[in-house]
Amino acid sequence: MAKQIEVKDLDIYYDKVLAVQGVSMTIQPRSVTALIGPSGCGKSTFLRTLNRMHELVPNARVEGQVLMDGQDLYAPNVDPVRVRTQIGMVFQRPNPFPTMSIYDNVAAGLKLNNRKMKRSEMDDVVERSLRSANLWNEVKDRLGKPGSGLSGGQQQRLCIARAIAVQPDVLLMDEPCSALDPISTQAIEDLMLELKSEYTIVIVTHNMQQAARVSDTTGFFNLKGVGQPGELVEIGETTQIFSMPQSKATEDYISGRFG
């Protein structure tokens, strides 16, 4: 569990268009790394390269390296489906499978990965995952009901339970609270702080207060210029980035002068 990710000189392309250029960073295990920056600067695109979801877009590709505990995730012999099992993803809008029950939503990843399990084992995994997502007590009496019947915040925690059911090493979250009310947002933030004891977590957020509250490390992305690719301007301990950023662009963004 909880692996270190090292990114080296990563360039990200959509066909011939260079979208993000020259990203290098180390993502520490058992911590929360927040990626901030204005819209359109490549944060979510970069996040999707970490579990090879970027290449699901036609003609999308990367150059450079993404290493997890030293193994290049883009090496020719690496199965991208396995990478996506090891590195789970939670999206901006809660996306439980609408026709599936709460139980089947959590079990979906296990079934997709052809994990042969006895029903009692599956029951244990579903309960453990829902407990880890702080959702068990709210849904234990209606596991057979559709996941789409839950509130937005509960649906997002259901998606987190689904992601951690397959026991990934890393959890990616792309603006997981942007569609949620403040109470649900706090529940997800509290959950992130609990989960980081077991997982490496990377979160994209537009909410700077959220980055300050939940993350140990913050990376600031920005565009090099109009029509230019996005880049990682700086990355460091969250307290340092928010109190003494090295770059004027970071300081301007954090103080609300642009973005």
Side-chain angles (χ1 to χ4, degrees):
M1 305 294 276
K3 302 283 180 74
Q4 176 176 291
I5 292 181
E6 202 171 345
V7 180
K8 296 182 177 179
D9 299 321
L10 196 70
D11 294 339
I12 308 171
Y13 291 86
Y14 290 103
D15 206 359
K16 295 187 175 68
V17 177
L18 179 60
V20 182
Q21 185 172 30
V23 177
S24 295
M25 69 165 74
T26 299
I27 298 166
Q28 297 297 343
R30 293 187 176 82
S31 69
V32 178
T33 299
L35 307 178
I36 62 171
S39 295
C41 65
K43 305 180 299 296
S44 294
T45 293
F46 170 73
L47 192 73
R48 289 195 296 271
T49 65
L50 298 180
N51 72 342
R52 297 190 58 169
M53 285 196 73
H54 173 66
E55 68 199 60
L56 296 173
V57 178
N59 299 318
R61 60 189 172 85
V62 304
E63 294 176 0
Q65 288 185 306
V66 179
L67 306 169
M68 186 160 74
D69 279 7
Q71 182 188 25
D72 186 358
L73 299 181
Y74 283 87
N77 61 339
V78 173
D79 178 4
V81 176
R82 178 158 169 71
V83 171
R84 291 172 206 135
T85 303
Q86 292 175 293
I87 304 177
M89 182 81 142
V90 176
F91 296 92
Q92 186 170 358
R93 296 204 168 270
N95 60 344
F97 300 122
T99 58
M100 284 189 190
S101 68
I102 293 168
Y103 183 102
D104 287 337
N105 259 284
V106 180
L110 296 164
K111 291 175 179 174
L112 282 171
N113 291 317
N114 294 319
R115 300 258 182 106
K116 297 284 188 281
M117 280 188 177
K118 294 176 182 165
R119 177 70 185 205
S120 59
E121 290 176 313
M122 188 74 80
D123 290 348
D124 289 344
V125 172
V126 169
E127 179 176 345
R128 185 175 70 239
S129 303
L130 288 167
R131 283 189 186 280
S132 294
N134 289 341
L135 192 57
W136 174 253
N137 289 335
E138 295 165 53
V139 302
K140 62 184 179 185
D141 298 323
R142 47 176 173 153
L143 294 175
K145 299 281 175 61
S148 54
L150 298 173
S151 71
Q154 288 174 323
Q155 286 188 27
Q156 193 64 298
R157 281 181 285 148
L158 178 62
C159 293
I160 292 170
R162 184 175 70 197
I164 61 182
V166 296
Q167 295 188 299
D169 302 304
V170 180
L171 206 51
L172 310 178
M173 298 186 175
D174 190 0
E175 294 190 58
C177 303
S178 64
L180 304 180
D181 62 85
I183 291 171
S184 298
T185 295
Q186 186 176 350
I188 300 289
E189 289 182 3
D190 291 346
L191 181 54
M192 280 189 251
L193 294 172
E194 288 177 33
L195 290 174
K196 77 174 186 180
S197 63
E198 290 185 60
Y199 301 95
T200 304
I201 298 175
V202 188
I203 172 177
V204 166
T205 180
H206 276 290
N207 183 329
M208 262 161 326
Q209 290 80 12
Q210 181 172 76
R213 283 192 299 263
V214 304
S215 71
D216 305 282
T217 303
T218 296
F220 171 62
F221 279 75
N222 199 12
L223 291 169
K224 288 189 167 185
V226 177
Q228 297 288 309
E231 64 174 346
L232 176 66
V233 176
E234 67 175 298
I235 186 167
E237 285 188 18
T238 296
T239 48
Q240 176 257 310
I241 291 288
F242 278 89
S243 60
M244 288 191 303
Q246 304 294 303
S247 160
K248 185 174 187 306
T250 311
E251 185 180 344
D252 287 349
Y253 180 74
I254 286 170
S255 60
R257 293 195 190 107
F258 77 98

